[in-house]
Amino acid sequence: MAVYTEVSDDELARFIDGYALGRLLSFKGIAEGVENTNYLVHTTDGTFILTLYEKRVDPADLPFFLGLMEHLSAAGVTCPLPVRDKSGRVLNELAGRQAALITFLEGVWPKRPKVVHALELGKALARMHIAGEGFPLKRANALGLAGWRPLFDKFSSRTEEICDGLHDLIADELRYLERSWPKDLPQGVIHADLFPDNVFFVEDGLSGIIDFYFACNDAFAYDIAVCLNAWCFDAKSQYEPQKGAALLAGYNSVRPLTDAERAAMPVLARGAAMRFLLTRSYDWLNTPKDALVARKDPADYVRRLKFHQSVGSIADYTAQLTS
Amino acid sequence: MAVYTEVSDDELARFIDGYALGRLLSFKGIAEGVENTNYLVHTTDGTFILTLYEKRVDPADLPFFLGLMEHLSAAGVTCPLPVRDKSGRVLNELAGRQAALITFLEGVWPKRPKVVHALELGKALARMHIAGEGFPLKRANALGLAGWRPLFDKFSSRTEEICDGLHDLIADELRYLERSWPKDLPQGVIHADLFPDNVFFVEDGLSGIIDFYFACNDAFAYDIAVCLNAWCFDAKSQYEPQKGAALLAGYNSVRPLTDAERAAMPVLARGAAMRFLLTRSYDWLNTPKDALVARKDPADYVRRLKFHQSVGSIADYTAQLTS
């Protein structure tokens, strides 16, 4: 949510000259993206996003992220398309940072997603999984099962600063997940961070998916499990089965889940809740209270995790509440 | 440089429905403006800036600021034009704030202004002064001569936290300014804060003037004195006579300065330096080091003030340096 790197008019004009995009008309630093600096750029040819990659992004990963956007875009997914400069490069240097220009997507992200949003999300997620086939680069999920215990070890002595009982909740759950994590599920390129602020809609139609900077190779169904956590709980972290049902129905209508994927959904959802509980807890303890980036309360994911622990099978994610 | 107030997609869509601007396509919080929250908004009709007025802006002043932009725009000045909603209003409420939609101006502000920028600025400033004639509302300059001593009193006991000698420099200068401040200079509506980040250029042509939230009624020549301080010193606070000469020549070519204005320029420039020295010093002492808004070093205006104290007449502002 911040502009970490300032760019001057002269350096940006020179940078834009390297692309066949006409003349620079204007640019504004935008308050999007926790990790990188983003500018909205107008040239005589159109509107673009300029991203300057800050220190939390490993430069070695950039060819994967940018190549994936090109691959998905060519396969019909509405995602930002990196623009190639006059030499054919998508990555350049600006203001001491690696930088890329990508196409601008219209749309707004839903602050309070509706059932129709979850339905469209499910379809788009399945289309994205299919479109990723054939992408030649690989990237491991740094925040998958193998990464959770090392991350927990970094703050396990300080859990009482967040809430009582958190240490044992995480420790017990990690043991469960390490014992129960499914193997051999259908794999491919997943987004891995498909929260509502990464999905744009114009009215109720899905207009684009952005922010592929956690994308990696992992189980497709884990991506759905992330979305169950990110889209299907209300502001009080109560599960909303209508949204879960719509998400799964939308996904199934494009790419039917296998029996193994269906059986694994509760444990995958527990794992996805763990992943965000761990990163939020770490950030909570390591981000100054008055920092540029707002801290997100880990307690939301304690409640989600406990809900998933109560789930017996995937059918529970679509069950209508009885009052 | 921050988005202080978050707006949701639903509330913004409802807000936009109140205007005849088509459908909402996208909006991004932009990192511009120290005082207010700004979003760049795309609708099917075009691009706009949405401003939410934060607590440092007095709501009673908004009709002056917005009315002035309408008046200047109608008189041919390229400045943002407030858009009237379907009921004819320019001011509405959004997310608990007074809010206005204004037209978007293309252009970039020059981080290191060139002589040609100063020349175009001078012409545009004179045109703006003339265009302001007939604007019926009035607003006193809250940061004019009468406001300086009360502002100094708020931090005069803490000047040594900024630099040695600052207390006496300001106290002596205030006495000089109160004794010497010119009266009866040609008056009208002035911008009063025309720094480079408020003036847009496309290539070397001036494309717009923004941010009228310090505009007020005061001496035209004081506005020029602000620009001498804001545009005509280099990064080390050394005066650049080529830029000063271009600024004055551009202004004179549209609205020739009177003899009284020419005679008053050195004291007006000292006053303008004092105004920014005071507000920067106050902000320096009262802004946390890690705040969202970057603190600006008051020392830049100590150096400017000392330069102006060495000036004998307006001719010194256009003198070529001898090496």
Side-chain angles (χ1 to χ4, degrees):
Chain A
M1 293 288 286
V3 172
Y4 302 99
T5 303
E6 298 279 351
V7 175
S8 77
D9 53 317
D10 283 341
E11 31 179 16
L12 183 57
R14 277 195 303 274
F15 181 86
I16 296 291
D17 278 346
Y19 295 78
L21 294 176
R23 286 185 298 120
L24 174 64
L25 291 179
S26 62
F27 67 109
K28 309 285 178 197
I30 58 175
E32 308 230 335
V34 170
E35 308 280 331
N36 300 313
T37 295
N38 289 292
Y39 288 91
L40 201 154
V41 175
H42 287 185
T43 78
T44 45
D45 275 20
T47 300
F48 304 90
I49 298 284
L50 167 69
T51 300
L52 282 78
Y53 298 100
E54 302 292 344
K55 60 175 187 265
R56 285 182 68 167
V57 175
D58 182 350
D61 282 333
L62 290 172
F64 179 90
F65 299 141
L66 294 166
L68 178 60
M69 287 189 264
E70 283 194 298
H71 179 92
L72 293 177
S73 192
V77 173
T78 51
C79 68
L81 175 64
V83 180
R84 291 187 173 270
D85 71 8
K86 291 171 182 170
S87 316
R89 282 183 305 215
V90 291
L91 205 53
N92 280 295
E93 198 176 302
L94 179 62
R97 299 278 182 281
Q98 294 284 291
L101 264 181
I102 58 176
T103 55
F104 178 81
L105 294 184
E106 296 290 359
V108 300
W109 65 269
K111 190 134 187 168
R112 290 186 200 82
K114 293 180 283 203
V115 172
V116 63
H117 294 136
L119 179 72
E120 294 304 311
L121 170 71
K123 294 186 210 168
L125 183 63
R127 283 194 293 262
M128 192 190 79
H129 287 165
I130 293 168
E133 282 176 22
F135 180 58
L137 303 185
K138 302 285 174 203
R139 180 173 182 267
N141 187 354
L143 290 170
L145 181 70
W148 296 338
R149 187 170 290 280
L151 181 53
F152 181 48
D153 289 343
K154 288 187 185 172
F155 68 88
S156 59
S157 64
R158 295 179 59 198
T159 52
E160 75 286 356
E161 295 174 42
I162 300 173
C163 63
D164 286 345
L166 184 60
H167 184 281
D168 289 354
L169 176 74
I170 295 178
D172 292 349
E173 182 69 12
L174 276 180
R175 277 189 292 273
Y176 169 80
L177 291 169
E178 285 161 351
R179 201 168 59 230
S180 318
W181 199 246
K183 296 179 181 66
D184 305 323
L185 294 178
Q187 304 255 333
V189 179
I190 69 167
H191 186 285
D193 192 41
L194 203 47
F195 276 70
D197 58 341
N198 288 331
V199 183
F200 291 166
F201 293 84
V202 173
E203 297 187 331
D204 289 337
L206 194 151
S207 61
I209 293 175
I210 65 163
D211 201 348
F212 288 80
Y213 300 110
F214 289 96
C216 56
N217 295 84
D218 205 336
F220 290 138
Y222 177 70
D223 230 4
I224 306 173
V226 169
C227 291
L228 279 172
N229 280 281
W231 290 73
C232 303
F233 288 80
D234 68 14
K236 291 177 177 163
S237 294
Q238 293 287 312
Y239 183 68
E240 298 184 294
Q242 299 88 341
K243 291 181 192 167
L247 170 66
L248 291 166
Y251 191 93
N252 259 307
S253 72
V254 175
R255 178 184 168 271
L257 289 172
T258 67
D259 289 345
E261 288 178 310
R262 294 178 57 82
M265 197 56 67
V267 65
L268 293 172
R270 288 169 71 158
M274 174 61 72
R275 174 255 187 267
F276 292 103
L277 175 57
L278 289 169
T279 50
R280 284 193 176 196
S281 296
Y282 179 83
D283 290 344
W284 188 264
L285 294 168
N286 291 285
T287 305
K289 280 183 189 141
D290 48 7
L292 286 167
V293 176
R295 301 191 304 172
K296 292 174 181 167
D297 191 350
D300 294 346
Y301 279 81
V302 169
R303 289 190 284 268
R304 280 163 169 74
L305 177 57
K306 288 181 175 171
F307 172 77
H308 298 307
Q309 288 175 335
S310 77
V311 160
S313 78
I314 191 171
D316 292 341
Y317 286 113
T318 61
Q320 294 306 303
L321 289 171
T322 52
S323 60
Chain B
M1 292 291 285
V3 172
Y4 302 99
T5 303
E6 298 279 350
V7 176
S8 78
D9 53 318
D10 285 340
E11 35 181 11
L12 183 57
R14 279 196 301 276
F15 181 85
I16 297 291
D17 279 345
Y19 295 78
L21 294 176
R23 286 184 300 119
L24 174 64
L25 291 179
S26 63
F27 68 108
K28 308 285 179 198
I30 58 175
E32 308 230 335
V34 170
E35 309 280 331
N36 300 314
T37 294
N38 289 292
Y39 288 91
L40 200 154
V41 175
H42 287 183
T43 78
T44 45
D45 276 21
T47 300
F48 304 89
I49 297 284
L50 168 69
T51 300
L52 283 77
Y53 297 100
E54 302 293 343
K55 59 174 189 265
R56 284 182 70 167
V57 175
D58 182 349
D61 282 334
L62 290 172
F64 179 90
F65 299 140
L66 294 166
L68 177 60
M69 287 189 263
E70 283 194 297
H71 179 92
L72 293 176
S73 192
V77 173
T78 51
C79 68
L81 175 63
V83 181
R84 292 186 171 270
D85 71 9
K86 291 171 183 170
S87 314
R89 282 183 304 215
V90 292
L91 206 54
N92 280 295
E93 199 176 302
L94 179 62
R97 299 278 182 282
Q98 295 284 291
L101 266 180
I102 59 177
T103 54
F104 178 82
L105 294 183
E106 297 290 359
V108 300
W109 64 269
K111 192 134 184 166
R112 290 188 201 82
K114 293 180 284 203
V115 172
V116 63
H117 293 136
L119 179 73
E120 294 305 309
L121 169 72
K123 293 184 208 168
L125 183 63
R127 283 194 293 262
M128 192 190 79
H129 287 164
I130 294 168
E133 282 176 23
F135 180 58
L137 303 185
K138 302 286 175 202
R139 181 173 182 268
N141 187 355
L143 290 169
L145 179 71
W148 296 338
R149 185 171 291 280
L151 181 53
F152 182 47
D153 289 344
K154 288 187 185 171
F155 68 86
S156 59
S157 64
R158 296 179 57 198
T159 50
E160 76 285 357
E161 295 174 42
I162 301 173
C163 64
D164 286 344
L166 183 61
H167 184 281
D168 289 353
L169 176 74
I170 295 178
D172 292 348
E173 182 70 10
L174 276 180
R175 277 190 292 273
Y176 169 80
L177 291 169
E178 286 162 350
R179 201 169 60 231
S180 317
W181 199 246
K183 297 179 180 64
D184 304 323
L185 294 178
Q187 304 256 333
V189 179
I190 69 166
H191 185 285
D193 191 43
L194 204 47
F195 275 69
D197 57 343
N198 288 331
V199 183
F200 291 166
F201 292 83
V202 173
E203 297 189 328
D204 289 337
L206 192 150
S207 61
I209 294 175
I210 66 162
D211 201 347
F212 288 80
Y213 301 109
F214 288 96
C216 55
N217 294 85
D218 205 336
F220 290 138
Y222 178 70
D223 230 5
I224 305 173
V226 169
C227 291
L228 279 172
N229 279 281
W231 290 73
C232 303
F233 288 80
D234 68 15
K236 291 179 176 161
S237 295
Q238 293 286 312
Y239 184 68
E240 299 185 294
Q242 299 88 340
K243 292 182 191 166
L247 169 67
L248 291 166
Y251 191 94
N252 259 307
S253 72
V254 175
R255 179 184 167 271
L257 289 171
T258 66
D259 288 345
E261 288 177 311
R262 294 178 56 81
M265 197 56 68
V267 64
L268 293 172
R270 289 169 71 160
M274 173 61 72
R275 175 256 186 265
F276 293 103
L277 176 57
L278 289 169
T279 51
R280 285 193 174 195
S281 296
Y282 178 83
D283 290 345
W284 188 263
L285 294 169
N286 291 285
T287 305
K289 279 182 190 143
D290 48 8
L292 287 166
V293 176
R295 302 190 305 171
K296 292 173 181 167
D297 191 350
D300 294 345
Y301 279 82
V302 170
R303 290 189 282 268
R304 281 163 169 74
L305 177 57
K306 287 181 176 172
F307 171 78
H308 297 306
Q309 288 175 335
S310 77
V311 160
S313 78
I314 191 170
D316 292 339
Y317 286 112
T318 61
Q320 295 305 304
L321 289 169
T322 51
S323 60

